[in-house]
Amino acid sequence: MRFQLIAAAAAAFALSGCGVIYHSPTVQSGATDSSQVRVMPITAENALLANQVDYQPRSLPAVFSQYAGGGSLRGAGALPEPVFEPEQNPGQLNVRIPPAVNPGPYRIGVGDVLLLATQTAGSTVEELSGLLAAQNRRQGYTVQDDGVIAIPDVGRVGVAGLTLEEAEAELFRRLVENQIDPTFSLEIAEFNSKKVSIGGAVSKPTVAPITLTPLFLDAALAAAGGVTASDLDYASVRIYRAGTLYQIPLSELYARTGLRRVQLVDGDSVFVDTEYDLEQAQSYFEEQIQLAQFKQSSRQAALAELDTEISIRRASLQEQRENFDRRFEYGGVERDYVYLTGEVRRQSRFALPFGHSASLADALFDNAGGLSTTFADVRQIYVLRGSPDPREFSGVTAWQLDASNAANLLLATRFELRPNDVVFVSEQPVTRWNRTISQIIPTLGLADTATDIGN
């Protein structure tokens, strides 16, 4: 019986070699019944040649690259002009000076415009000639309502409430985090967050910004074109600050230098009055308070509207993405595939990814149906590629990867797959022989003997 088993095995080996008993798929070069097969080894040069086949990966729907966005506040529109009706009334005034203040260094606020200058690439000659500074890229950024500025490649950086030095430190940190050259300069181009209003008997009622340098009373009056009151005996400068009213008669203001150096702070209102009583100044200050409240309520309403709008946008984007996911789950999304066959873990198709190409290595080492190292002949890994024209089937190129040298697997990472490629992995010779034996032995009734010999 043992002799019969050995004889059967020898016969099976011979028959399998000539392909009489067991047939397995192979790649044969030359002319076949339906096409001309050309075998090309995968080398670095041939990988570049194969990758020249034009292919545009499918893209995800645009909804996956969209975001709700921050939008912009619509604002409250144009504000009414201040009311001023000059009158003359005699009277006597007392001096009430605001307390000294020390607001500290300027802190960036909403509405300020920051100017960021970053270096551009320049030659050594430009650097030596001093031309590089002129080539700096300068971009202005407005501090938004939530206190941030949005910088490309960096993101949203919170700067409201920071001094210029603190803002530079924060920006330096964010640039380093994003691996961007942290060589830059930062300055405030427009001061819009802190203001003092000046009205009354002045040439040009205005709103003066508070900048890096302190704003004093004489400078504020000069910004409004100067005082136009002709009778200094009954004129005064009234300052409204945080619910308290202060006044300085013009005669005292011009006589005492120190009074002209009263430092003003954000939110102050200055009114040059020609009346003894406070009715005219009171009307002006009430108007400024109402304007401030109007701005604040309008800002809050705009923020609430913006939040609602962003929520609606996000819900819409999320719904569209979920609809795509459901279509994808049920096979309703058109995809490009590569087909894996031969000695792989599972005969399957490999979906080419959205937005970028996939390599032969991606398919071979895929968890679902990748390379079977037990039965595969790693010398014969093929990518079968036909003509891109579906009406033509006259030629097939079999790109062969010999992975017996593991270093050649690097070539698999550079070989790009195309739609409808067939990745075929041939079987080991001993695998073909084992499969032939496994089919012959039951036919000859030698299964029990083969089991005894194995034991």
Side-chain angles (χ1 to χ4, degrees):
M1 184 64 69
R2 186 183 300 271
F3 174 77
Q4 291 177 346
L5 180 61
I6 295 174
F13 179 77
L15 292 174
S16 65
C18 62
V20 174
I21 294 180
Y22 179 76
H23 296 277
S24 61
T26 59
V27 175
Q28 299 176 3
S29 62
T32 65
D33 295 338
S34 58
S35 64
Q36 181 75 23
V37 179
R38 181 179 59 167
V39 178
M40 298 284 290
I42 295 181
T43 61
E45 294 77 11
N46 286 344
L48 293 175
L49 178 63
N51 293 344
Q52 290 178 359
V53 175
D54 187 42
Y55 170 59
Q56 184 65 35
R58 296 185 184 274
S59 300
L60 284 169
V63 67
F64 282 90
S65 59
Q66 295 174 349
Y67 63 99
S72 60
L73 297 180
R74 289 176 172 79
L79 298 176
E81 292 293 330
V83 178
F84 171 62
E85 296 180 357
E87 297 179 4
Q88 295 288 337
N89 286 319
Q92 186 171 351
L93 301 172
N94 297 322
V95 177
R96 294 192 297 272
I97 305 174
V101 293
N102 182 20
Y106 185 87
R107 295 193 175 272
I108 299 169
V110 174
D112 288 344
V113 178
L114 304 185
L115 189 62
L116 176 64
T118 56
Q119 286 189 350
T120 57
S123 65
T124 303
V125 175
E126 291 171 335
E127 294 176 356
L128 293 176
S129 61
L131 296 177
L132 190 59
Q135 295 183 1
N136 285 353
R137 184 164 60 93
R138 299 166 65 86
Q139 181 65 45
Y141 299 96
T142 301
V143 181
Q144 301 176 7
D145 290 78
D146 55 357
V148 304
I149 55 175
I151 303 176
D153 302 326
V154 176
R156 297 167 65 81
V157 181
V159 295
L162 303 181
T163 66
L164 189 59
E165 182 178 1
E166 292 170 345
E168 289 176 342
E170 175 64 15
L171 184 56
F172 180 89
R173 183 183 66 83
R174 294 292 298 275
L175 290 173
V176 172
E177 285 181 354
N178 290 273
Q179 298 181 350
I180 300 175
D181 181 8
T183 303
F184 70 95
S185 64
L186 187 67
E187 59 183 276
I188 304 176
E190 296 181 19
F191 298 86
N192 300 319
S193 63
K194 298 172 178 58
K195 302 174 182 178
V196 172
S197 62
I198 306 102
V202 291
S203 297
K204 184 177 61 176
T206 188
V207 175
I210 295 179
T211 63
L212 297 177
T213 56
L215 178 63
F216 295 103
L217 180 58
D218 56 351
L221 294 175
V227 176
T228 58
S230 57
D231 190 349
L232 300 184
D233 294 334
Y234 308 109
S236 65
V237 175
R238 289 182 167 132
I239 303 173
Y240 182 78
R241 174 185 298 172
T244 303
L245 183 64
Y246 306 94
Q247 68 181 17
I248 304 174
L250 278 179
S251 57
E252 296 290 333
L253 181 68
Y254 292 145
R256 298 164 56 182
T257 304
L259 295 179
R260 297 195 293 270
R261 302 299 292 173
V262 171
Q263 184 174 348
L264 303 176
V265 296
D266 180 36
D268 282 355
S269 292
V270 178
F271 187 84
V272 178
D273 200 355
T274 58
E275 287 289 302
Y276 167 74
D277 57 39
L278 300 177
E279 291 181 0
Q280 183 172 289
Q282 183 179 2
S283 298
Y284 176 80
F285 294 138
E286 288 178 351
E287 182 181 66
Q288 294 300 314
I289 293 172
Q290 291 173 358
L291 289 177
Q293 293 173 344
F294 175 70
K295 291 179 181 178
Q296 181 65 23
S297 61
S298 297
R299 182 180 300 277
Q300 291 174 349
L303 285 173
E305 182 181 356
L306 179 61
D307 289 340
T308 303
E309 182 179 348
I310 290 177
S311 298
I312 294 174
R313 290 182 189 175
R314 287 175 176 167
S316 176
L317 292 175
Q318 184 62 27
E319 181 180 9
Q320 294 180 61
R321 292 167 184 169
E322 290 175 354
N323 289 339
F324 176 84
D325 291 339
R326 284 193 291 269
R327 291 179 55 226
F328 183 83
E329 180 181 357
Y330 292 107
V333 177
E334 190 172 359
R335 298 292 303 272
D336 291 326
Y337 293 97
V338 169
Y339 301 89
L340 279 73
T341 185
E343 297 307 318
V344 291
R345 284 192 291 270
R346 182 169 64 87
Q347 311 293 308
S348 61
R349 61 181 184 177
F350 174 77
L352 294 180
F354 290 103
H356 60 90
S357 59
S359 68
L360 174 58
D362 293 329
L364 290 177
F365 299 102
D366 181 64
N367 291 332
L371 184 66
S372 172
T373 56
T374 303
F375 304 105
D377 185 353
V378 293
R379 299 171 301 174
Q380 299 186 61
I381 301 174
Y382 297 93
V383 178
L384 307 179
R385 181 174 297 171
S387 171
D389 189 344
R391 297 170 296 181
E392 298 181 4
F393 194 68
S394 58
V396 175
T397 302
W399 300 97
Q400 180 184 2
L401 175 67
D402 181 1
S404 58
N405 181 357
N408 287 340
L409 289 173
L410 287 174
L411 296 173
T413 65
R414 302 176 184 176
F415 188 96
E416 297 179 1
L417 297 175
R418 295 293 182 262
N420 300 320
D421 280 353
V422 176
V423 178
F424 170 74
V425 182
S426 184
E427 62 185 349
Q428 292 270 18
V430 68
T431 301
R432 184 182 300 111
W433 186 80
N434 286 338
R435 288 171 176 168
T436 303
I437 291 294
S438 66
Q439 295 185 33
I440 290 180
I441 288 178
T443 304
L444 298 177
L446 301 175
D448 294 338
T449 303
T451 301
D452 294 338
I453 293 175
N455 295 331

